[in-house]
Amino acid sequence: MTSAYLLVSHGSRDPRPEIAMQQIAGLVAEKLYLPEKLVGTGYLEVVSEPLHEQIKNFAQIAVAFGCHHLKIIPLFLLPGVHVMTDIPREVTQAQQAVGKDILIELQPYLGSHQGLQTFLQKQIATIKAEAWILLSHGSRRPGSQEPVETMAAHIGGVAAYWSVTPGLESRVQELIAIGYREIAILPYFLFSGGITDAIAQAVEALKLQFPGVSLYLAEPLGVSGELADLIGDLIYT
């Protein structure tokens, strides 16, 4: 075993995303036939240690297991500031700290995987709706929305964002104005947490606002063997 893997996500005060991260790390380890200690989890925010310290600590564990290579896999869906700036900076700092004991390599972020389109299409195939909204967190970094717009077009829907425009309510209003009365909303988020709870509340409010329209809220991507397979593909990219 010459390689170890660290799955990195945003971090949350809600315990559910961390539990899901541990579960997906276990599935990835199982699929790669690795000891669970060689597939770890790291968090960018809302943790006591900065990410570069988490990477350094995990790298030391990996070296103790005889690993010479550590791959960092960002479990992010957008090429926002975290993916394009923050995580690369933290990886560089960690590499400087561990020296030549182990090579730390940053892999492509999860949202860049072409297989996500098939993954989402399977999710929506089970739901009856006339129109689809792919609801992403959004980012203020220029160009970061383009992958979401492309993904939405591929699954036959439109994109909306939680933190930037166009928002969910405006997209719902647009679709209603066109004549749609059955609208499904797919949260483009990894796991359930505080934001997906807030989205659910927003959808309930929209149901009251538009009583003649059926609004269906799907689940976020969630922990699954298929998601673990996509992460495994990124590891070997």
Side-chain angles (χ1 to χ4, degrees), residues 51-120:
L51 180 59
H52 65 267
E53 284 288 338
Q54 298 171 60
I55 296 172
K56 184 188 78 170
N57 293 338
F58 186 71
Q60 290 170 343
I61 294 170
V63 169
F65 270 83
C67 297
H68 307 294
H69 196 183
L70 170 57
K71 292 190 176 186
I72 310 296
I73 302 95
L75 299 193
F76 287 74
L77 297 173
L78 296 179
V81 174
H82 289 329
V83 165
M84 305 306 292
T85 303
D86 297 341
I87 294 176
R89 181 182 64 237
E90 297 288 327
V91 169
T92 299
Q93 282 186 260
Q95 183 69 79
Q96 291 169 346
V98 299
K100 296 180 180 179
D101 288 343
I102 188 168
L103 172 65
I104 303 175
E105 183 182 5
L106 183 59
Q107 298 300 105
Y109 72 100
L110 178 60
S112 66
H113 196 304
Q114 295 300 312
L116 271 175
Q117 177 183 327
T118 304
F119 188 97
L120 293 178

Side-chain angles (χ1 to χ4, degrees), residues 32-55:
L32 298 179
Y33 302 101
L34 287 173
E36 287 195 5
K37 287 186 178 180
L38 292 185
V39 182
T41 56
Y43 305 94
L44 193 58
E45 294 185 357
V46 204
V47 283
S48 57
E49 285 184 321
L51 180 59
H52 65 267
E53 284 288 338
Q54 298 171 60
I55 296 172

Side-chain angles (χ1 to χ4, degrees), residues 158-179:
V158 294
Y161 304 94
W162 187 248
S163 63
V164 294
T165 57
L168 176 61
E169 183 176 353
S170 65
R171 280 299 197 210
V172 169
Q173 289 173 333
E174 289 171 12
L175 292 172
I176 291 172
I178 295 170

Side-chain angles (χ1 to χ4, degrees), residues 3 13 19 26 30-31 33-35 39 48 56 67 80 123-124 144 157 160 176 186 194 201 212 216 223 228 233:
S3 297
R13 290 183 178 83
I19 292 168
E30 189 178 303
K31 287 180 179 295
Y33 302 101
L34 287 173
V39 182
S48 57
K56 184 188 78 170
C67 297
Q123 278 193 301
I124 68 175
S144 62
I176 291 172
L186 178 58
Q201 292 175 353
Y216 180 88
V223 177
D233 286 347

Side-chain angles (χ1 to χ4, degrees), residues 148-159:
V148 183
E149 303 287 340
T150 301
M151 182 71 76
H154 278 310
I155 65 172
V158 294

